[in-house]
Amino acid sequence: MQCSKCGNPKVIYKREQSGQILCKDCFIESIEKKAIRTIKKEKLLDKGDKVLVALSGGKDSVTTLEILDSFRQRNIIDICAVTVDEGIANYRQDGVDIAIRHAERLGIEHKVVSLKEEYGISLDEIMQRENHKGSCTYCGVFRRTIINKAAREMNATKIATGHNLDDEVQGIMMNYLEGNTDNLTKLGPKSESKAEEFTTKIKPLREIPEREIGLYVVAKELEVHFDSCPYAMQSFRGEVSEVINQLAEKHPTIKYSTLRGYDKIKNILKNELKKDYSHGRCKRCGEPASNELCKACSFLEELGL
Amino acid sequence: MKFTLKYKQINEEREIPDKNYSIKDLLDDLELSAQTIVSKQNGELVIEDTVIEDGDEIQLVQIIYGG
């Protein structure tokens, strides 16, 4: 057995969807090329951009940082990073420490924002409350708000997240199966908002399978936080993911075809279904909001904060 | 015929049960999915079809976690 590209007999990966067999160097190069192709095809970066990487210290965000750094090294963009510390005991600190070390290694501007400092309550404390709405609900909303604020404070022109192919396909299928056509219009490589306070979000890894990102960080010996969030539970996303992965065993191209199909109909969906939200202001924090309170503040009020 | 298995807290010697025992067979025995694991043989990344040899150190790294 030898590498399909260079003939090296030391192979590390068999790509089921194409039959390609790759050695370490050719595998690493293929991942970087794929992300760069997505960036160019979808016009995710403009010269002079300052990109804020949402850096958890996990494999996806560290890979995003690594790939975007190649653009920084060529003076095309500048990079900064934000890490959200949700306050999850015996879990989050390792990721925060790893994120700090990556930012130091690259010499980039980096800030760590904790839920406790920002809102006066950690995720662990929220989960001790009765009648909470589930950890992921709070975590998603607070994290998004913190990242948006950090982007403005750091004068970032784009926010890069580590969403991979599996994340995107799960999002497409979940929203379709739930009939959530509104959310279905919001997926894609680049999310722009009419509210200028919301920085454009980009997903350079959306065409790379999660497994290949895991192998990439191990092959490149990048320090990442491999662990499971203690609040990860049997969610609908988990169930959808299981079904898609089962299908992918017999149909290895199914994730790509789901993404391609969505990309073809995305603009039609947006034109037909996109709601024009009236962007007012949250009366509590002043952030853009479609109701009296933004989502984060409505949660804070419910929590009595 | 033995090999050393390193996986999370596990660091143990195991018997090689038959001649063509591969990393894929080991993953099946441990009820682990090849989709969530990458494998190293004596410190170098390898594909799951790799046959385990006497004296090998096999390290399994879980790269995908739920949630």
Side-chain angles (χ1 to χ4, degrees):
Chain A
M1 209 177 285
Q2 58 184 39
C3 176
S4 318
K5 285 194 169 178
C6 73
N8 184 342
K10 284 188 172 180
V11 294
I12 68 159
Y13 192 56
K14 231 176 16 180
R15 207 165 249 155
E16 298 293 336
Q17 65 273 23
S18 62
Q20 209 175 32
I21 299 167
L22 296 170
C23 70
K24 188 163 97 174
D25 290 345
C26 290
F27 173 77
I28 289 171
E29 193 188 335
S30 79
I31 296 296
E32 292 173 349
K33 273 190 171 169
K34 184 86 179 240
I36 291 168
R37 229 177 11 245
T38 301
I39 289 169
K40 289 187 175 163
K41 180 178 72 181
E42 307 291 352
K43 299 182 174 61
L44 300 187
L45 296 175
D46 293 303
K47 192 168 168 47
D49 264 340
K50 183 175 182 184
V51 183
L52 173 75
V53 178
L55 185 63
S56 67
K59 64 184 188 315
D60 303 305
S61 64
V62 169
T63 300
T64 305
L65 181 68
E66 186 72 8
I67 286 167
L68 290 178
D69 191 58
S70 65
F71 288 84
R72 185 185 70 120
Q73 282 176 16
R74 286 179 284 147
N75 292 318
I76 298 169
I77 60 165
D78 192 11
I79 297 181
C80 54
V82 63
T83 302
V84 180
D85 178 357
E86 303 91 354
I88 304 172
N90 304 318
Y91 171 69
R92 174 43 73 211
Q93 195 55 47
D94 287 352
V96 171
D97 292 343
I98 289 169
I100 291 170
R101 286 198 284 274
H102 279 296
E104 281 174 358
R105 172 176 67 90
L106 299 174
I108 59 166
E109 185 186 355
H110 177 225
K111 68 194 278 184
V112 179
V113 184
S114 76
L115 252 64
K116 183 78 178 172
E117 282 167 29
E118 191 73 11
Y119 299 116
I121 193 164
S122 68
L123 196 62
D124 281 345
E125 287 166 346
I126 294 174
M127 293 308 286
Q128 283 161 17
R129 297 286 184 94
E130 281 179 21
N131 301 327
H132 62 71
K133 291 176 187 289
S135 55
C136 303
T137 308
Y138 299 102
C139 186
V141 167
F142 288 141
R143 209 157 33 148
R144 200 160 50 237
T145 309
I146 288 171
I147 292 169
N148 267 319
K149 276 169 86 172
R152 287 203 305 273
E153 284 162 14
M154 296 163 101
N155 295 317
T157 51
K158 302 268 167 64
I159 296 169
T161 60
H163 289 87
N164 57 48
L165 177 67
D166 295 62
D167 297 325
E168 283 287 88
V169 172
Q170 286 156 20
I172 293 163
M173 292 313 296
M174 277 167 68
N175 287 312
Y176 186 76
L177 293 169
E178 287 177 320
N180 193 340
T181 50
D182 189 32
N183 272 1
L184 207 51
T185 64
K186 294 177 189 165
L187 299 169
K190 197 175 183 182
S191 320
E192 289 164 293
S193 169
K194 278 186 182 164
E196 61 179 30
E197 293 87 347
F198 288 142
T199 309
T200 299
K201 293 200 175 83
I202 57 168
K203 298 174 187 167
L205 308 185
R206 79 187 284 265
E207 296 184 53
I208 304 176
E210 181 173 19
R211 176 167 162 67
E212 294 192 9
I213 295 169
L215 182 56
Y216 174 82
V217 294
V218 176
K220 263 206 123 173
E221 296 176 22
L222 291 168
E223 187 191 16
V224 303
H225 184 217
F226 278 131
D227 204 352
S228 177
C229 174
Y231 294 123
M233 56 195 83
Q234 194 53 27
S235 59
F236 185 54
R237 179 178 282 273
E239 290 175 56
V240 169
S241 162
E242 222 176 289
V243 173
I244 296 167
N245 283 335
Q246 271 171 15
L247 286 169
E249 278 179 24
K250 277 193 186 167
H251 311 277
T253 57
I254 206 158
K255 292 177 190 174
Y256 294 95
S257 57
T258 307
L259 191 79
R260 297 275 170 267
Y262 170 77
D263 284 352
K264 282 182 203 162
I265 59 169
K266 187 184 64 193
N267 285 336
I268 303 167
L269 288 174
K270 278 192 177 171
N271 292 337
E272 289 287 320
L273 301 168
K274 199 166 190 183
K275 287 182 193 159
D276 237 346
Y277 287 108
S278 54
H279 276 295
R281 296 269 166 192
C282 171
K283 68 174 184 185
R284 186 175 147 142
C285 72
E287 286 287 306
S290 43
N291 297 311
E292 268 199 359
L293 290 175
C294 69
K295 206 81 189 143
C297 286
S298 70
F299 286 159
L300 291 172
E301 296 252 319
E302 282 170 22
L303 292 164
L305 295 164
Chain B
M1 299 273 276
K2 285 183 175 173
F3 70 99
T4 305
L5 169 68
K6 285 190 171 179
Y7 174 59
K8 294 186 175 175
Q9 316 314 329
I10 301 170
N11 186 349
E12 64 183 23
E13 273 209 332
R14 290 170 77 102
E15 285 289 330
I16 299 176
D18 54 69
K19 210 174 84 189
N20 290 317
Y21 190 68
S22 69
I23 294 177
K24 177 83 184 69
D25 296 327
L26 171 65
L27 292 175
D28 288 344
D29 287 347
L30 296 169
E31 295 182 355
L32 294 171
S33 160
Q35 289 302 312
T36 62
I37 301 278
V38 298
S39 323
K40 287 182 175 180
Q41 181 187 39
N42 304 319
E44 295 210 25
L45 278 167
V46 287
I47 56 171
E48 287 74 39
D49 298 343
T50 303
V51 171
I52 300 175
E53 308 282 352
D54 188 29
D56 271 354
E57 180 191 283
I58 303 296
Q59 188 190 351
L60 306 178
V61 183
Q62 187 174 352
I63 51 165
I64 297 179
Y65 289 81

